[in-house]
Amino acid sequence: MFTVDETSVFSTGVKELLRAARVRLVEWEQVRERAFRYDLVLAASENIDFDAIDAHTVLLPHGLGFNKLLPNGVGPDLRVAGLPPQHALRAGKVTVTLSHPEQRDQLFAVSPAIAGRTETVGDPTFDRLRASRGLRARYREAFGTGDRTLVAIASTWGRQSVIGRWQTLPAQLLGVLETDLYQLVAVLHPNVWAYYGEFQIKLWLSSALDAGLILMPPDSGWHAALIAADQVITDHGSLGLFAAALDQPLLMTGRAAETVPGTPTDELARCVPTLHPGGELRSQLDAARRLHVAGRYTHITDRVFTHSGSAAHNVQALIYRELALSPLPDPSPLTRIPIPECHTRAVTSYVVHTTTVATDASVTLVRFPAAVWRPADDVDDETHVVAEESEADLKIIERAAALTREIVLDTVPARQWACSALNDYPGARLAVAATTTGCLAVIRDGTVIRAVAEPADPVHTQLIASAIYCCLIDRSLPDRPLTIRAGTTTIDVTFTPDR
């Protein structure tokens, strides 16, 4: 049976999650009133009323180790997060599970009452992460990453977290990382979701979401994001240690005063480069990947994980022992992380650097989502905006040089739509609609261009529109093949005037 103590400000949504899992849910008051009998308690938090519990409690891992100092609720003193209250330890009411023996020594130095009240089992979550690394390509496929560099933001909760210090970081990154070379995924601690709610979080991140940010839900997907990523921006939360153990290139947004000195988290923060708001963000990210050396954090993560591959079996054995039952002859299998379901907003407009056609009949496009792009003070590059007809921001679509429609049309309705779009938006230079063989473009002077693309994909409509615009500015619109390059994407297109 499951129960939730809803006195925590972070309990929002927990009951709904359990109901969705179709477990048997009982009210916490029934526990207080001794309304039923039970033999063992499994808890994911030390912040429970042990006096209301009639059976022994096994405290399962909540995060990695005991790395954070929190107010104890009485005066200015701090307590180590994860350590049960002294009276519960002295009464022998609780067994604290650990991922590494070092944690036993750490807790004993703070609270001698912990002696004999711990069990080193390892970390089941890390075992699943390690077992799932072979699915990395599948995770990236689910994210739609392709050959792009996937950057993950992994934030804990509180003012010293990534999102607490730097709420605009996702939007800033998407504004300086080329769309066709980079992808961004964000993982926020469930406490952030519980405290602020989904509506507020998505409101804060709305421009980043419009620019293609993948925002993982609070209850799933973060494991796949860490495995799929090419690098991770993190803080003093547990995901930083998980990412380090996965040997990911790391950046941190700063050290946290609430970190327990001398812990692996503290040591990691001293070793990981800091992402500086005042510096050029892309160059800092690229340097972190380039300078990363495999195994550079092993000396830290070796202090966090032990019993690799057998943590779930160890937890199971502990439970059976506490219940005075014989363990099952076959332990539960180690299961891999499922393929995540990603729901992202389509990017509907881009700011594109206007360029010339190269001597090899190619054009290279550099694109950024218009929702987050800001001109650099020291750069005077010429740009243009290409916007899909469904673009919600009126200011963006009104300043678009090229309008597009990605829903495939036959030739006649494609021309009709393009003419109508140019009439509706007098600032546009051309309108381009997807067709079964590529695109059909109408220039404001009445010229109609057929673009036969290989491969023919409606997703490439905006790339073709930008290429045509560059050719118009360059006065080199060819009646011949042209190669379009954008990041890892290459398209061969033949432009033909439609007479």
Side-chain angles (χ1 to χ4, degrees), residues 59 65-68 79-84 86 89 95-115 117-119 260 263:
L59 185 59
F66 305 85
N67 306 306
K68 186 180 290 188
R79 65 177 181 87
V80 176
L83 180 64
Q86 296 296 299
L89 292 171
T95 297
V96 181
T97 58
L98 312 175
S99 67
H100 193 280
E102 179 182 300
Q103 296 161 7
R104 179 186 58 215
D105 300 332
Q106 175 201 352
L107 294 181
F108 181 79
V110 177
S111 173
I114 197 77
R117 311 301 185 200
T118 64
E119 182 88 7
V260 177
T263 57

Side-chain angles (χ1 to χ4, degrees), residues 417-483:
W417 171 83
C419 292
S420 175
L422 290 174
N423 184 61
D424 291 340
Y425 299 100
R429 183 84 179 266
L430 68 151
V432 184
T435 64
T436 55
T437 58
C439 296
L440 184 137
V442 176
I443 315 300
R444 183 158 294 282
D445 65 6
T447 303
V448 179
I449 302 292
R450 290 179 182 268
V452 178
E454 181 59 42
D457 189 334
V459 173
H460 297 152
T461 303
Q462 291 188 317
L463 285 172
I464 294 173
S466 281
I468 294 174
Y469 180 83
C470 290
C471 290
L472 289 173
I473 296 300
D474 194 32
R475 301 181 184 276
S476 61
L477 187 62
D479 185 4
R480 56 183 172 81
L482 180 73
T483 298

